[in-house]
Structure formats: structure tokens, C-alpha cells
């Protein structure tokens, strides 16, 4: 078995299975004469009959190993010939480098010994032919044979394509070939296969070798097995693309798959964005370890309803996305969403507790392209649409499924813009406090003021709390807003106390704020800071607070009430209007909503109902405040029912606690004017135009006041 199949100076002829010459080395003209230049494409039998019969005679034996033979050449000289198997037929080497009887040069033997001692796998090919069947391998060292599992005779004469297989990336091998063609050093990382078909990653470097005349004659390639490194990289990649808790693809994994799916123009894709409702409650109640275990179980449950082409992804937290590829119609995605909803609703058990979960789901389809641009959707845009549709479902009360529409997009954009305005207002101190007086309906005397927040935009427009409070409640921004309102209100109260005014202040608090453990403590701290009398503070809460209450809500309300704060049930008459709240929660005051009061002018049944409520609340020992009194007739009717406390435009509109130059803002003087109009001359108006908290207000002395 030769070490090198061919050496520089040897000449190569390739003959295909049909006996035609497919390749003749340029150097053949030196060895066999000028006529060899026309052999390519001719039957070998016509070109060199003796060689052709030699090939015919020995060709069958070449599977085992190359054969060294001798043959007179057309010029009558004895030619050393080496026959070997190639990828497409038989290779004929005309060995110029060897003298007769001496087939292996001693120097070559020594070189082979040295190369075999090298740790890296080494392969030498002829530089030509670059096209099929590819460069002929003339040498392979022991490391290469060991790593690939091939015998030397199976490799020599073949082309390196022998090692390639189904997983080989031919874009990479083509690029590599391009560089070789330009006689440049080339390098690639490519997936090869052993003789048994086991894939191995190799790092392959090749360099051209020139002969004594400076003509490039060979390629020498050094290759190293990098399978272990590649496996590590693949694992890392897998980790980067998947969620550690559930093993599902993560956001990056989703975007990658989504992009692949979107690149198939015939595929109709649906994306279902799922967000668990109130999952935070589970974490708060049972701890994060239980929350994680539940998320894992949820992901497993969700996977039971998937079809073959669906991919479930966990984006993080309690957000999952279902990628529905090759969708037949949109109804299919809706049905899938409903199945997810049903599978989640089956009760969950933890310890002795049983509870059910729900999800808000938004669906977007790849087919709903932007009518304006007619562009197809990007993966990011499709995800955004599904996400905002889910957000829309959440803001409408959760536990539902909706399909993306331009209208929901606009609605959510609006919400997002309001949220940004709230964030900016908090950052740049652009919240304003307005006060609305609560009066004694007999005398018109102001007893207290309700603190109402407004937001001033960068363009100096005022935004109503009815626009931004719901957005702030959903985003959690309500907490810093209400901290600010409380601080301002208590500063104001401290000023009034210092000036011996007996007025109180009513502050609206949201469910999101009240359910925070630290809420009561923070208010008590403010009381300490400002030295105010907490019996002058009322917290206005709505039925939603009571509906959404958790253990902290109860604790906060009880602790504050014990400290002297009064609790008012606001907007009574707009929700369930359940009297059951009154015994279940610590409530001192009920505020009848202005929708009830508006009916007093004309609506007899409404009047009877209001009278009934006033009676019941007073019998229960609660104070009753009528909201939204706009007419003198309403005031009289309420007084006739025995309700003597009220608020409303009849006595004045909310006005800034601090003087303002804003256009459209009510000025404090307006309050006085209104009071004058209805002849409440004894009414004592709070100095609403004062900036609250101007020094001296802290630790002011306490003034008792009979304000509600
Ligand atoms: P609310 O607590 O029921 O406040 C009363 C709202 O009714 C105020 O609107 C007030 O201007 C309006 N109002 C009072 N009298 C009349 C009347 O005679 N006729 C009519 N048509 N309306 C009257 P505003 O200031 O726009 O506040 C709206 C809501 O915003 C408040 O309703 C309250 O729920 C919320 N809000 C305001 N400030 C805060 C806050 O600091 N925290 C929270 N959570 N909510 C707040
Ligand atoms: Mg209120």
C-alpha cells in the first residue's frame, strides 16, 4: 500500500465506468506525447489500447487496494502505472517520480512516518480536478483514518466528498471550494460523517502546495474534531432559546420559529398570546416555589391540547404564546384558544385549597396585513398585535378571547400614550391637586374637602382622572400617584390645623394601593411627619376595593380605622350596591352616587329608593353623603329625607389647591361666587388657593372639628 498515491510530477488520467477519459493531466503530454491533449472525452481504448486492456483486466481488483503495474507507453518506453478506484470510475497514475522497481521513494516513506505521528488529521489531495468528481485524495494520515473509520485504500483515489452526508451544509463547502479555486488558504467548520455514518464536526484548514515550477499541484488539509465544542455550543444555544422552568422555547426561540414560519409564503399562521389572570395572587398567597410548580403544570396541561404543528412558548412570568402554523382557517385558532381556556378552568388543588384559573387571550393572524402598506407582517409585529389584543381583553375585565382589530390597536395605543403621560407627570412633578368641598346641606358650611388629582401634560393640557386613573390602576402607577395625593392632602390638613380651621380631607384610594402590605404604615408615617389628627381623614373606597380585597386590604383598613381614619364607601348605587358590605367591612360613611341624586328632580321611584337608603344607613349608624348635587330642588329633597351632607356643583366645582394659570381650570374665587349665589352666607370656605404645606404645617396643633 503506497503512502502517497501520487506525488508532484506524476500524471493523472481519470476514466469513467463506461471507459471514457474524463480527465487528463496537463503533464501527460510530457509522459505520453502531445496527442494526449485530445484524449479528454474519448474512449480510452481509442487513445491507448494497451492501457485500456490493462484497466479492463485489473479494474475489478481495485476495490481492495491500488495496483502498481508496468506498461510500454506509445513511445516504446516502460511506464510505471498505478491503477486505483475513484468516485466515478478508475484513476490511472503515470508515475514519473519512480524509477522502475522502486515504487516508494525513501524520503516519501520518511515523510509518511512523520505525518502519521501528527495528532491532527491530515489529508493531501491533488489540486485538480476541482469540479466533480472533486480533487483526488493522494494521502491520508493515521489520525484521519482512525477518526473517520476508513481504511487507507478506501480513501486514496476518492475525493473528500466521501466524508460528506445529509447534514453537511453545502453552502459552506461551496464557499470553501471558491476560495480554493483562487489558490487561497481556506477554512471551514463542517459536519462530516464517519464510515459508520456517525456525524462529526470538523474544523478544516486547507493550503495550496506548489511544485518546483511554482505550479499549484496539491492541497494539504489539516482537520480537527470539534464535535465536543459544537455539542456544547448547541446546548448553550438550546438554553438561550428555551425557558429553564418549563423547557419550552422562550421569546427568542419563538421569534426564530416565527420568522421561519413567516418565510413560507403559503403558511397561514395564528399567534395566541395568553396571560394568566391574577397569577400574582397565587404567588402572594402560596409563595414563588408553588407558583413555579403551578406554571410548570399549566404548561403541561396546555400542551395536551396542541396539534402537531403548534408550538407552545413561555415568554416569561405567566405569559405563554401559542404559535399555530399551517392554519386552515381562523376559526381553528379560536377553537384552540377555547380548548386552552377549558383545560385551564379544571380546578387546581394545593394543600386543602381548590381554585380555578383563567386566561386573557389575544389572537393575531399572519394574513391580516396592513391595508395601507400591503406589506407582510414581521414576527415582532405579529407578536405585538397578539400582545395588545390580550391587553385589551385584560382591560375589559379579563378571562376572554379576542382577535386583533385596528380598533383594539387604537384603543390600546391610547392607553399606552396615557400611561406614558402619567409616567412623565410623575417624573416631572406635573400632578395637580384639586379640592371639592363637602358641605352641610342646611347651612352650606364647608366641612371638608375631597382631594381630586389631575394631570398636566407637557403641552399644559389638563387630563381628567377618569381618563388616567384606570390606566394607572392597571399599570401599578396608581400607587406613586396616591402616595403623592396623600402627602399633599396631609400637608394641607396640617396647614388648616395650624390655622385652627376644623376642616377634614377625603382621599380616594384604589384597590391596587390598599392591597399593598405597607399602605397603612405609609399613611401612619405621613401622619407622624405632618403631625395631623387622623380623625379628620376619610378614605374613599369603592365596591371594587371590597370585591378585590385580600388579607392586606383588610389589615390596612382595620389598622387605619383603629388609628382614627374614617372609611367611606364611594359611588354607592353604581355597582352591586350590596348592603352586605356594610356589615363585612369597617365602614363609617356611605356616599350616594350622583346618578342616584340626578333622579331626585323627576324620577319618583328613584326618590323613594334614595329615601330608603338614607333611612337604612342612618339606622345602621352611618353618615350619608349625597354626591353630585346640582340643583336647589335636589338639596331640598335630600334635607327632607334627613340627609344633611353633600357635595356637588351647586356649591362649587373642584378647584386647584394651588393657584394656577391654566386655561380652563376653575379658580377658587368661583367657589365663593357659587356660594354667594345660593345664599349660603355662613359658609366658611377653606383657603383653597393656598399652596399646601408651606412650612409651619408640621406638628401643628390639633383642632377638633365636627365636620361629618
Ligand atoms: P369620585 O371620587 O366619585 O369624585 C367625584 C367626581 O364627581 C369628581 O370628578 C367631581 O368633579 C365630580 N362631581 C362632583 N360634583 C359633581 C356634580 O355636581 N356634577 C357632576 N357632573 N360631577 C360632579 P373628577 O374630579 O373628574 O374625578 C373623577 C374620579 O376620579 C373620582 O370620582 C375618583 O374616582 C377618581 N379620582 C380622582 N382623584 C383620585 C385619586 O387620588 N385616587 C383615586 N384612586 N381616584 C381618584
Ligand atoms: Mg370620591
Amino acid at each position: 500500500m503506497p503512502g502517497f498515491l501520487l506525488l508532484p510530477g506524476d500524471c493523472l488520467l481519470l476514466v469513467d465506468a463506461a471507459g471514457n477519459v474524463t480527465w487528463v493531466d496537463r503533464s501527460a503530454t510530457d509522459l505520453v506525447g502531445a496527442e494526449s491533449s485530445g484524449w479528454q472525452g474519448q474512449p480510452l481504448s481509442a487513445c491507448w489500447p494497451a492501457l485500456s486492456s490493462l484497466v479492463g483486466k485489473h479494474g475489478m481488483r481495485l476495490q481492495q487496494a491500488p495496483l502498481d503495474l508496468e506498461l510500454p507507453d506509445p513511445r516504446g518506453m516502460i511506464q510505471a502505472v498505478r491503477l486505483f478506484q475513484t468516485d466515478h470510475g478508475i484513476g490511472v497514475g503515470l508515475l514519473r517520480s519512480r524509477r522502475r522497481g522502486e515504487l516508494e521513494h525513501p524520503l516519501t516513506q520518511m515523510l509518511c512516518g512523520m505525518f502519521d505521528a501528527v495528532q491532527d488529521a491530515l489529508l493531501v489531495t491533488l489540486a485538480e480536478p476541482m469540479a466533480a468528481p472533486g480533487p483526488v485524495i493522494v494521502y491520508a494520515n493515521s489520525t484521519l483514518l482512525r477518526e473517520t473509520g476508513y481504511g487507507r485504500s478506501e480513501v486514496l483515489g476518492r475525493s473528500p466528498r466521501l466524508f460528506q452526508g445529509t447534514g453537511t451544509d453545502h453552502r459552506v463547502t461551496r464557499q470553501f471550494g471558491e476560495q480554493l479555486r483562487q489558490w487561497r488558504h481556506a477554512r471551514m467548520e463542517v459536519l462530516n460523517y464517519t464510515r459508520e455514518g456517525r456525524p462529526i464536526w470538523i474544523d478544516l484548514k486547507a493550503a495550496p502546495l506548489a511544485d518546483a515550477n511554482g505550479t499549484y499541484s496539491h492541497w494539504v488539509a489539516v482537520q480537527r474534531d470539534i464535535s465536543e465544542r459544537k455539542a456544547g455550543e448547541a446546548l448553550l444555544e438550546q438554553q438561550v432559546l428555551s425557558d429553564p422552568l418549563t423547557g419550552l422555547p422562550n421569546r427568542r426561540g419563538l421569534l426564530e420559529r416565527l420568522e421561519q414560519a413567516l418565510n413560507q409564503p403559503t403558511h397561514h399562521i395564528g399567534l395566541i398570546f395568553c396571560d394568566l389572570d391574577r397569577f400574582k395572587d397565587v404567588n402572594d398567597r402560596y409563595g414563588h416555589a408553588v407558583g413555579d410548580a403551578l406554571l410548570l403544570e399549566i404548561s403541561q396541561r396546555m400542551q395536551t391540547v396542541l396539534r402537531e404543528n403548534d408550538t407552545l412558548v413561555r415568554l416569561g412570568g405567566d405569559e405563554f404564546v401559542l404559535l399555530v402554523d399551517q392554519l386552515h382557517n381562523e376559526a381553528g385558532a379560536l377553537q384552540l384558544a377555547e380548548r386552552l381556556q377549558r383545560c385551564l378552568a379544571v380546578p387546581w388543588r394545593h394543600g386543602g385549597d381548590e381554585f380555578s384559573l383563567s386566561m386573557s387571550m389575544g389572537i393575531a393572524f399572519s394574513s391580516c396585513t396592513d391595508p395601507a402598506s400591503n406589506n407582510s407582517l414581521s414576527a415582532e409585529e405579529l407578536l405585538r398585535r397578539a400582545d395588545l389584543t390580550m391587553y385589551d381583553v385584560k382591560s375589559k375585565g379579563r378571562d376572554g378571547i379576542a382577535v386583533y382589530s385596528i380598533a383594539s390597536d387604537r384603543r390600546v395605543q391610547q392607553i399606552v400614550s396615557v400611561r406614558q403621560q402619567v409616567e412623565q407627570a410623575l417624573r416631572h412633578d406635573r400632578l395637580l391637586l384639586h379640592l371639592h368641598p363637602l358641605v352641610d346641606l342646611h347651612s352650606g358650611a364647608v366641612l371638608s374637602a375631597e382631594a381630586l388629582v389631575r394631570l398636566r401634560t407637557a403641552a399644559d393640557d389638563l387630563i381628567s382622572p377618569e381618563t388616567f386613573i384606570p390606566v394607572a390602576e392597571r399599570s401599578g402607577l396608581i400607587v406613586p400617584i396616591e402616595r403623592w395625593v396623600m402627602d399633599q392632602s396631609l400637608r394641607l390638613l396640617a396647614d388648616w390645623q395650624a390655622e385652627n380651621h376644623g376642616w377634614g380631607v377625603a382621599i380616594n384610594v384604589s384597590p391596587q394601593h390598599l392591597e399593598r402590605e405597607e399602605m397603612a404604615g405609609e399613611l401612619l408615617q405621613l401622619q407622624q411627619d405632618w403631625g395631623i389628627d387622623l380623625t379628620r381623614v376619610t378614605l374613599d373606597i369603592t365596591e371594587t376595593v371590597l370585591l378585590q380585597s385580600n388579607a392586606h386590604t383588610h389589615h390596612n383598613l382595620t389598622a387605619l380605622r383603629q388609628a382614627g381614619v374614617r372609611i367611606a364607601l364611594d359611588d354607592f348605587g353604581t355597582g352591586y350596591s350590596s348592603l352586605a358590605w356594610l356589615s363585612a367591612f369597617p365602614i363609617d360613611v356611605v356616599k350616594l352616587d350622583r346618578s342616584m341624586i340626578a333622579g331626585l328632580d323627576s324620577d319618583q321611584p328613584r326618590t323613594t329608593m334614595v329615601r330608603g337608603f338614607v333611612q337604612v344607613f342612618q339606622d345602621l349608624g352611618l353618615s350619608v353623603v349625597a354626591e353630585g348635587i346640582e340643583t336647589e330642588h335636589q338639596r331640598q329633597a335630600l334635607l327632607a329625607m334627613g340627609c344633611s351632607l353633600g357635595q356637588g356643583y351647586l356649591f362649587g366645582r373642584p378647584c386647584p389647591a394651588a393657584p394656577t394659570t391654566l386655561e380652563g381650570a376653575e379658580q377658587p374665587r368661583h367657589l365663593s361666587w357659587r356660594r354667594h349665589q345660593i345664599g349660603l352666607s355662613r359658609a366658611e370656605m377653606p383657603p383653597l388657593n393656598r399652596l399646601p404645606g408651606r412650612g409651619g404645617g408640621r406638628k401643628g396643633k390639633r383642632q377638633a372639628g365636627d365636620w361629618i
Side-chain angles (χ1 to χ4, degrees):
M1 170 67 57
F4 274 86
L5 190 65
L6 298 171
L7 286 171
D10 292 344
C11 164
L12 173 70
L13 303 180
L14 292 176
V15 182
D16 67 13
N20 297 318
V21 178
T22 57
W23 173 264
V24 190
D25 216 275
R26 274 185 308 230
S27 56
T29 49
D30 296 346
L31 287 173
V32 289
E35 66 272 24
S36 63
S37 59
W39 286 359
Q40 190 146 339
Q42 303 297 315
L44 181 63
S45 54
C47 306
W48 189 347
L51 182 62
S52 174
S53 62
L54 194 76
V55 169
K57 191 170 159 200
H58 297 284
M60 299 302 285
R61 292 165 55 208
L62 301 179
Q63 294 294 349
Q64 283 85 45
L67 279 179
D68 284 319
L69 305 161
E70 288 182 354
L71 189 71
D73 72 14
R75 293 183 291 199
M77 295 165 74
I78 294 297
Q79 183 68 55
V81 176
R82 177 167 286 166
L83 298 185
F84 51 90
Q85 190 70 40
T86 69
D87 282 341
H88 291 89
I90 290 174
V92 181
L94 305 175
L95 310 182
R96 190 214 308 256
S97 55
R98 283 151 215 157
R99 281 174 286 134
R100 289 171 58 199
E102 191 194 302
L103 289 175
E104 200 72 85
H105 193 283
L107 185 62
T108 314
Q109 280 174 359
M110 195 186 88
L111 277 176
C112 290
M114 278 164 56
F115 292 161
D116 276 342
V118 171
Q119 292 290 315
D120 288 332
L122 214 69
L123 196 71
V124 182
T125 68
L126 293 184
E128 300 283 358
M130 285 299 290
V136 173
I137 298 173
V138 294
Y139 175 77
N141 77 346
S142 303
T143 311
L144 186 130
L145 299 174
R146 195 175 55 249
E147 284 180 357
T148 60
Y150 284 99
R152 185 161 273 132
S153 60
E154 293 171 305
V155 170
L156 293 182
R158 312 290 300 274
S159 98
R161 289 167 203 187
L162 173 70
F163 306 115
Q164 298 175 2
T166 46
T168 307
D169 186 343
H170 291 291
R171 282 170 311 183
V172 173
T173 56
R174 263 197 303 277
Q175 261 176 17
F176 186 78
E178 286 304 318
Q179 287 186 310
L180 296 186
R181 266 190 198 94
Q182 295 162 31
W183 304 111
R184 300 216 320 250
H185 287 240
R187 182 172 187 174
M188 67 173 169
E189 288 187 357
V190 71
L191 188 66
N192 272 358
Y193 291 83
T194 65
R195 192 174 189 279
E196 289 77 40
R198 181 172 58 82
I200 44 169
W201 273 100
I202 57 159
D203 175 14
L204 178 63
K205 291 180 223 166
L209 284 183
D211 63 17
N213 305 322
T215 308
Y216 289 118
S217 60
H218 289 74
W219 292 106
V220 58
V222 182
Q223 64 185 52
R224 184 167 285 186
D225 185 345
I226 53 165
S227 303
E228 226 169 82
R229 195 195 88 205
K230 282 285 183 187
E233 282 173 5
L235 188 70
L236 212 65
E237 176 88 347
Q238 163 75 11
Q239 283 167 357
V240 168
L241 296 179
S242 63
D243 164 52
L245 176 67
T246 59
L248 296 173
N250 60 13
R251 186 189 181 85
R252 269 186 63 180
L254 167 70
L255 289 175
E256 241 177 48
R257 281 168 201 232
L258 194 51
E259 264 153 23
Q260 279 165 13
L262 287 169
N263 279 335
Q264 308 293 323
T266 53
H267 286 201
H268 182 27
I269 298 152
L271 215 56
I272 309 179
F273 200 112
C274 315
D275 190 293
L276 296 168
D277 296 328
R278 304 195 173 288
F279 195 73
K280 184 175 171 297
D281 292 352
V282 174
N283 279 331
D284 288 350
R285 184 155 176 202
Y286 302 108
H288 283 267
V290 173
D292 281 358
L294 189 56
L295 282 170
L296 183 60
E297 221 179 308
I298 287 167
S299 73
Q300 286 160 353
R301 241 195 225 187
M302 287 170 85
Q303 284 177 86
T304 59
V305 305
L306 307 191
R307 305 158 321 150
E308 202 187 328
N309 291 323
D310 304 336
T311 311
L312 184 65
V313 171
R314 181 176 173 230
L315 285 194
D318 56 0
E319 288 179 342
F320 292 87
V321 169
L322 184 56
L323 166 60
V324 193
D325 198 0
Q326 298 180 41
L327 199 59
H328 292 303
N329 52 40
E330 299 190 349
L334 274 164
Q335 283 159 8
L336 200 55
E338 281 163 5
R339 285 214 296 278
L340 286 174
Q341 212 170 28
R342 281 198 295 275
C343 93
L344 214 70
V346 178
W348 305 81
R349 281 183 188 82
H350 178 71
D353 292 354
E354 187 180 282
F355 53 93
S356 60
L357 289 169
S358 65
M359 278 196 300
S360 302
M361 285 182 260
I363 309 179
F365 297 107
S366 60
S367 55
C368 46
T369 46
D370 181 352
S373 66
N374 208 24
N375 282 337
S376 55
L377 296 177
S378 68
E380 287 281 3
E381 173 61 10
L382 196 57
L383 186 60
R384 185 194 72 84
R385 290 184 174 196
D387 187 1
L388 82 81
T389 310
M390 180 282 297
Y391 186 85
D392 203 28
V393 171
K394 279 245 182 244
S395 58
K396 286 180 176 157
R398 307 183 174 91
D399 191 13
I401 303 167
V403 174
Y404 172 84
S405 70
I406 301 280
S408 65
D409 201 331
R410 288 206 189 102
R411 199 165 38 242
V412 174
Q413 299 283 3
Q414 165 78 12
I415 292 174
V416 170
S417 128
V418 169
R419 194 174 66 199
Q420 284 167 350
Q421 281 172 331
V422 173
E423 281 166 351
Q424 282 178 10
L426 280 165
R427 254 200 313 274
H428 302 296
D429 201 15
R430 287 207 298 260
L431 293 177
L432 299 174
L433 196 67
H434 279 207
L435 295 172
H436 196 213
L438 185 153
V439 302
D440 177 339
L441 295 183
H442 287 291
S443 63
V446 173
L447 303 174
S448 69
E450 178 172 358
L452 295 164
V453 66
R454 273 102 183 84
L455 186 153
R456 191 160 53 88
T457 66
D460 261 3
D461 297 321
L462 274 191
I463 304 186
S464 148
E466 269 162 342
T467 306
F468 70 85
I469 293 281
V471 176
E473 285 183 338
R474 278 200 298 274
S475 59
L477 290 168
I478 191 68
V479 175
I481 291 178
E482 288 186 350
R483 280 199 192 117
W484 181 88
V485 172
M486 282 182 185
D487 183 55
Q488 298 292 306
S489 306
L490 266 54
R491 289 169 78 165
L492 194 61
L493 202 53
D495 271 3
W496 292 343
Q497 266 185 201
E499 291 162 9
N500 284 335
H501 293 298
W503 303 308
V505 72
I507 302 168
N508 293 283
V509 236
S510 65
Q512 291 74 11
H513 196 182
L514 264 175
E515 69 187 24
R516 290 171 72 92
E517 193 178 0
E518 61 278 14
M519 185 268 170
E522 285 175 359
L523 186 59
L524 294 175
Q525 183 59 50
L526 281 176
Q527 181 238 344
Q528 300 254 311
D529 290 349
W530 295 108
I532 51 106
D533 173 8
L534 272 186
T535 62
R536 294 184 185 205
V537 175
T538 304
L539 292 189
D540 282 7
I541 63 169
T542 57
E543 273 182 342
T544 330
V545 168
L546 309 176
L547 277 169
Q548 293 180 10
S549 66
N550 65 11
H552 298 316
T553 315
H554 267 273
H555 165 82
N556 285 327
L557 287 176
T558 313
L560 289 172
R561 196 154 178 262
Q562 272 168 8
V565 173
R566 295 160 69 91
I567 310 296
L569 182 58
D570 206 355
D571 301 339
F572 188 86
T574 51
Y576 293 102
S577 307
S578 165
L579 298 179
W581 299 128
L582 306 174
S583 53
F585 286 88
I587 287 166
D588 306 283
V589 183
V590 178
K591 295 178 87 169
L592 300 178
D593 188 69
R594 69 168 181 267
S595 56
M596 297 185 104
I597 307 306
L600 293 181
D601 281 333
S602 53
D603 187 343
Q604 192 48 47
R606 183 62 63 104
T607 310
T608 311
M609 202 167 75
V610 175
R611 186 182 298 114
F613 277 131
V614 171
Q615 187 64 53
V616 170
F617 296 143
Q618 286 180 342
D619 288 353
L620 288 168
L622 302 169
S623 300
V624 183
V625 175
E627 289 184 306
I629 304 170
E630 292 187 353
T631 65
E632 179 58 16
H633 177 264
Q634 291 166 355
R635 183 176 80 101
Q636 294 296 344
L638 286 160
L639 282 171
M641 291 173 193
C643 173
S644 58
L645 300 169
Q647 285 179 277
Y649 291 174
L650 180 65
F651 316 105
R653 293 191 176 231
C655 57
T660 174
T661 54
L662 286 179
E663 216 176 290
E666 294 282 349
Q667 295 300 319
R669 135 181 89 73
H670 183 72
L671 259 178
S672 318
W673 173 82
R674 208 66 170 117
R675 182 197 60 188
H676 180 71
Q677 277 239 314
I678 57 168
L680 300 174
S681 55
R682 285 194 297 125
E684 203 183 359
M685 306 307 296
L688 299 176
N689 57 342
R690 295 263 183 85
L691 246 183
R694 282 167 309 140
R698 286 174 173 246
K699 313 275 178 202
K701 70 174 184 308
R702 186 182 157 179
Q703 164 81 25
D706 61 337
W707 47 278
I708 311 187

